[in-house]
Amino acid sequence: MGRVFVAGSINMDVVATADRHPKVGETVAGNAVHYFPGGKGANQAVAAAKLGATTALIGRLGRDAFGQQLRTFLVAQGVDLALVKDIAGIHSGTAIITIADADNTIVVVPGANALVSAEDVAAPVLAKGDVAVSQFEIPQATIGAFFKRARAAGATTILNPAPAMACGPELLELVDIMILNETELGFIAGTALADTDAPERFIEAARRLPTDADKTICVTLGKRGVLALMGGEPSLIAGRAVKAVDTTGAGDCFVGALAAQLANGKAIRDALEYANAAASICVQRMGAAPSMPTAAEVADALHP
């Protein structure tokens, strides 16, 4: 059995709920405020760990109250934090999230996440069968160094290029599996996409990405499911009908679940089906990392 190594961000999510999102310059009354452990790296690591994979997180925290709370939470979820450093003089990553009618807006303040370095990702000893996961909430140079080491060891690399930002082909060349939503796909492919577009539009955009034809590209489409391009051939995995409460961690849940399944030796198609089911459970609960499902819950969803 392989292991999952996630190099990524660790945040405290400060979540405000309201009946609707404010317009620019407008103030609206909120309903509640919550503090949830989050950050794309932490979310993905928690998802993988709760779904049965041996999971280590590589990252940085500030020596502040949020940092202490995040460390305690992640250890309780079964995530190995031996490769997470506490840094003095800088705050832990923080995300300000507004949720209204199940949709969210997010402002991320990186803090200690911006200091995750090539030295940090040089620490783990990767092996064939392991899965290396990262996202764009830590420096891209660090991700490149991480994936180069993973490739040299024969590990599978998964990139979640979120939040959407420019990246060079030299990084994408190191990626085996790319997982992104329609906004991120449109940004990297240089075309405007909406979640209501026909599947053919997503397939066309995915084929325009500067990657080799043998890559796997997974486009997460929320309630519409997942469109996967595997070896250039498209495959649509239908969405699951659920009542969404908070979509904040859905994409991260998908990434972590897919990584866990691959580390456990599952075939890519089966892993995609499993990750799709896991994400459908995640959106029915509040919070990012705390909403990640257990293996038993996903098994129940797949075989009711």
Side-chain angles (χ1 to χ4, degrees), residues 103 160 178-186 193-206 217-229 234-242 244 247 250-251 254 272 275-276 279-280 283:
D103 287 323
N160 173 217
M178 190 183 306
I179 303 172
L180 66 179
N181 64 21
E182 77 280 354
T183 303
E184 294 141 10
L185 173 62
L193 294 171
D195 59 6
T196 53
D197 285 345
E200 291 74 19
R201 285 271 291 137
F202 298 113
I203 295 169
E204 177 189 354
I217 299 168
C218 305
V219 187
T220 55
L221 299 172
K223 62 185 178 184
R224 295 178 68 187
V226 182
L227 179 67
L229 207 62
S235 178
L236 183 62
I237 296 165
R240 305 174 72 88
V242 299
T247 60
F254 184 93
L272 288 167
N276 188 47
S280 75
V283 300

Side-chain angles (χ1 to χ4, degrees), residues 44-143:
Q44 293 168 12
V46 168
K50 289 184 72 173
L51 293 171
T54 299
T55 305
L57 182 57
I58 307 162
R60 296 197 179 197
L61 288 167
R63 287 182 181 158
D64 53 14
F66 281 171
Q68 294 170 10
Q69 293 165 23
L70 288 163
R71 186 173 281 277
T72 299
F73 170 81
L74 290 165
V75 168
Q77 306 309 304
V79 179
D80 183 346
L81 298 187
L83 301 172
V84 174
K85 295 179 180 177
D86 293 334
I87 307 299
I90 190 165
H91 64 81
S92 297
T94 307
I96 311 300
I97 302 172
T98 303
I99 297 173
D101 196 25
D103 287 323
N104 61 68
T105 61
I106 307 174
V107 176
V108 177
V109 187
N113 297 313
L115 301 179
V116 182
S117 68
E119 178 186 342
D120 295 329
V121 298
V125 179
L126 296 153
K128 187 174 178 60
D130 290 341
V131 181
V133 182
S134 200
Q135 343 68 33
F136 280 174
E137 288 184 346
I138 61 172
Q140 287 188 24
T142 301
I143 301 170

